[in-house]
Amino acid sequence: MTLYQLGNGKTFYSLTFGCQMNEHDSEVLAGMLNQMGFEKAESENEADLLLINTCAVREKAEQKVLGKIGELKKLKEKNPDMVIAVGGCMVQQEHVANKIHRDFKHVDILFGTNNINRFPSLLEDVITKGKRIKEITQDDSTVFEELPHNRENSIKAWVVISYGCDNYCKYCIVPYVRGQQRSRKIEHIKKEVVQLSKKGYREITLLGQNVNSYGKDLGNENGFEQLLEELEDINGIERIRFMTSHPRDFTEELIYKIRDSEKVCEHIHLPVQAGSNRVLKMMGRGYTRERYLYLVDKIREELPNASITTDLIVGFPGETDEEFQETIDLVKKAQFDSAFTFVYSKRSGTPAAEMEEQVPEKIKKQRIQELIDLQKSISANINQKLEGTVQTVLVEDVSKNDANILTGRTRTDKLVHFPGNKSLVGEFVDVKINHAHSWTIYGELTNF
Ligand code: SAH
Ligand code: SF4
Ligand code: F3S
């Protein structure tokens, strides 16, 4: 029996935790499973193979995964032939992989982020030899190419431009579980995007933990700007997005590039994390609040319609009330369209976990609430300015709750809901905005 027949007549179901990088990896795993003959199951209860792709970025994310794995014991008892595979960032940590291996005997396969390409062979060993497998590799030098994808969406696609991260922000586990930064070659990325355009994709999002340092590991200092230039002329692709940007490496030249490009969208996700210079320094972020606010001003000057979004952490070890108020002040000044707000979470193995003066939970909770309330009112204010305007929207999908409602995004990445026929999915349409709240925007078609 060859590897590629193993899944014939069988189904799989996958559960993905974490960020876009993990969603992308789950699409790759699904692509490999399809090649082996597996089809997607309707639900986890019916699947022959259950795949869990995990995230380690905060303790809560890990607890959620462990809770889920625990629950699966019953499912496996009912269906002993089911194969359960757990991979991703959490498992890449050897001590966590060992713990899962020891405590959850119903898990058949454990694999990390560095050996995702090995998944089909691991699965083959489990199915044909009936053994349990744990394979984690610390070798983080591989730049994956030519892996199959089974993409969830047929209009927009994630395209990885670099794997890993070299920044080692003091609170962050990502460099330890994703390895060193490895940029893909421009020609490989271009080839993938051309293939996507031929399949009818209209939008791509370039993914990397720090897209602004793309290419530096290949000796190319302006790699990201060059890459954008190379992708601009690919017919069929109308929108190019990218994330995540790092304020330390984000340049004025990039702002001009976005300004002068037809396709690169005016949305910049620029995580600031904190508003106090002392905290930024302790975090090892490599910029000051002044530099950050300068970049925001510059973006507003050159790209007046751009949306800017961010990530914020409250309660980094040693953060005082006054320093937290500097974050509040920065948020008021920067006027973000939206922000992901996080309570600092201790990640073992990172330098911040060893820092004294961990901030008590109660204070972290108060701080995050103040921040969420503030951001919510800023987002509502900004979005309300769209009421009465007409926006060009790329229709992405039919709403999950109502088949007569379509969802799509503006170039600035605002999600808009409006009544319409599903034949419009994949088209650009003009939508008049009627109601705009902090998170949701409603409108109606104007050109139909
Ligand atoms: N490479 C991206 C994304 C990293 S993870 C970046 O640099 O922005 C996404 C976000 O999770 C980070 O921006 C940060 O705000 C948050 N985060 C990372 N580690 C964290 C921790 N230990 N506790 C709380 N939030 C954390
Ligand atoms: Fe983590 Fe910093 Fe790398 Fe982002 S840039 S993944 S926050 S270490
Ligand atoms: Fe992403 Fe979580 Fe890993 S945020 S890179 S899935 S630790």
Side-chain angles (χ1 to χ4, degrees):
M1 190 164 33
T2 71
L3 191 59
Y4 295 104
Q5 295 166 337
L6 271 176
N8 281 354
K10 291 189 175 161
T11 59
F12 76 97
Y13 193 82
S14 62
L15 286 171
T16 307
F17 296 81
C19 66
Q20 289 84 358
M21 197 59 88
N22 252 18
E23 289 186 20
H24 167 271
D25 286 357
S26 290
E27 292 181 348
V28 168
L29 288 160
M32 296 194 284
L33 287 167
N34 277 154
Q35 280 191 343
M36 294 172 78
F38 284 91
E39 300 280 344
K40 210 171 153 184
E42 288 293 316
S43 76
E44 61 186 59
N45 299 330
E46 297 161 25
D48 299 299
L49 166 69
L50 190 57
L51 182 61
I52 302 182
N53 201 357
T54 63
C55 170
V57 78
R58 282 170 291 276
E59 197 182 346
K60 253 196 201 147
E62 289 205 339
Q63 279 166 351
K64 246 189 185 165
V65 170
L66 290 174
K68 185 70 209 175
I69 299 176
E71 268 174 38
L72 294 176
K73 190 163 179 229
K74 284 215 178 83
L75 195 58
K76 178 92 171 188
E77 278 164 6
K78 264 201 260 166
N79 179 4
D81 291 335
M82 174 187 253
V83 174
I84 298 179
V86 184
C89 294
M90 206 172 139
V91 182
Q92 182 62 37
Q93 305 166 93
E94 207 102 45
H95 67 280
V96 180
N98 291 340
K99 186 173 156 25
I100 298 176
H101 195 65
R102 192 187 62 221
D103 296 348
F104 298 103
K105 299 272 191 276
H106 56 287
V107 172
D108 302 288
I109 309 179
L110 285 161
F111 63 106
T113 55
N114 289 334
N115 60 343
I116 176 171
N117 55 328
R118 293 259 309 135
F119 183 65
S121 334
L122 303 181
L123 184 57
E124 183 187 20
D125 278 357
V126 168
I127 293 177
T128 57
K129 299 182 189 144
K131 36 180 197 176
R132 290 180 75 212
I133 291 184
K134 173 174 63 101
E135 187 183 281
I136 318 294
T137 160
Q138 295 309 328
D139 174 6
D140 61 358
S141 59
T142 315
V143 185
F144 298 115
E145 291 298 343
E146 306 287 336
L147 294 179
H149 286 85
N150 185 2
R151 292 187 151 94
E152 287 284 320
N153 191 292
S154 56
I155 309 300
K156 53 177 196 171
W158 312 117
V159 175
V160 170
I161 62 167
S162 60
Y163 296 97
C165 181
D166 288 341
N167 292 304
Y168 288 93
C169 303
K170 298 283 187 271
Y171 49 81
C172 185
I173 195 81
V174 171
Y176 303 90
V177 295
R178 286 278 170 179
Q180 62 182 323
Q181 176 170 302
R182 286 148 285 160
S183 299
R184 293 176 66 197
K185 292 202 173 109
I186 289 188
E187 69 231 49
H188 292 149
I189 298 170
K190 206 168 164 184
K191 191 170 153 203
E192 184 177 344
V193 178
V194 169
Q195 282 167 355
L196 288 167
S197 74
K198 288 186 181 149
K199 287 186 188 153
Y201 283 87
R202 315 296 303 270
E203 177 180 311
I204 52 165
T205 302
L206 307 175
L207 281 186
Q209 297 299 345
N210 174 359
V211 293
N212 311 108
S213 63
Y214 167 79
K216 289 189 181 165
D217 49 315
L218 301 174
N220 186 347
E221 281 303 308
N222 305 312
F224 189 57
E225 284 86 347
Q226 229 181 62
L227 175 67
L228 289 180
E229 224 162 84
E230 293 274 340
L231 299 178
E232 181 78 19
D233 295 330
I234 298 176
N235 280 335
I237 300 296
E238 305 288 343
R239 286 180 170 183
I240 301 175
R241 302 185 184 279
F242 55 89
M243 71 189 314
T244 297
S245 291
H246 193 304
R248 189 195 55 215
D249 299 311
F250 193 94
T251 58
E252 282 90 340
E253 285 68 34
L254 178 57
I255 302 176
Y256 305 140
K257 189 112 257 150
I258 302 170
R259 182 194 62 193
D260 299 339
S261 157
E262 298 237 322
K263 295 186 179 173
V264 179
C265 293
E266 300 77 21
H267 165 229
I268 295 156
H269 183 59
L270 195 62
V272 64
Q273 314 296 2
S276 136
N277 281 335
R278 194 183 75 98
V279 174
L280 285 171
K281 194 154 188 222
M282 287 195 295
M283 288 177 162
R285 290 288 291 179
Y287 53 86
T288 59
R289 68 179 268 131
E290 290 76 20
R291 170 74 187 164
Y292 187 89
L293 287 169
Y294 165 78
L295 285 173
V296 169
D297 280 348
K298 191 80 190 161
I299 294 166
R300 303 253 183 252
E301 197 180 306
E302 299 293 341
L303 309 165
N305 296 320
S307 63
I308 306 180
T309 57
T310 202
D311 293 349
L312 295 154
I313 298 177
V314 303
F316 185 81
E319 182 189 68
T320 64
D321 281 337
E322 292 72 31
E323 284 163 345
F324 168 65
Q325 286 307 320
E326 290 188 70
T327 298
I328 290 284
D329 180 69
L330 181 139
V331 167
K332 285 181 184 159
K333 289 201 164 89
Q335 293 285 306
F336 298 114
D337 290 78
S338 69
F340 293 105
T341 49
F342 304 109
V343 167
Y344 166 73
S345 169
K346 210 168 164 178
R347 303 285 66 210
S348 97
T350 63
E354 306 301 319
M355 291 179 186
E356 286 164 17
E357 296 186 76
Q358 297 284 332
V359 176
E361 287 305 315
K362 199 173 143 218
I363 293 181
K364 288 200 251 190
K365 283 214 174 96
Q366 283 166 358
R367 288 182 188 166
I368 195 140
Q369 200 51 54
E370 187 177 340
L371 193 57
I372 290 171
D373 291 345
L374 170 64
Q375 183 54 48
K376 198 171 165 200
S377 74
I378 294 174
S379 296
N381 264 337
I382 294 177
N383 287 345
Q384 272 156 19
K385 291 194 186 123
L386 295 175
E387 287 181 359
T389 67
V390 173
Q391 300 287 325
T392 302
V393 165
L394 171 57
V395 186
E396 290 178 3
D397 217 337
V398 176
S399 159
K400 286 192 180 68
N401 308 322
D402 184 342
N404 298 314
I405 300 288
L406 299 176
T407 59
R409 281 174 200 268
T410 63
R411 278 174 72 98
T412 53
D413 206 39
K414 309 254 180 200
L415 185 62
V416 183
H417 301 251
F418 51 97
N421 190 288
K422 71 171 188 210
S423 62
L424 291 175
V425 171
E427 302 291 326
F428 288 91
V429 294
D430 286 338
V431 177
K432 181 166 170 249
I433 307 300
N434 295 328
H435 302 287
H437 309 284
S438 303
W439 324 123
T440 31
I441 298 178
Y442 301 95
E444 60 188 315
L445 289 165
T446 62
N447 50 350
F448 282 87

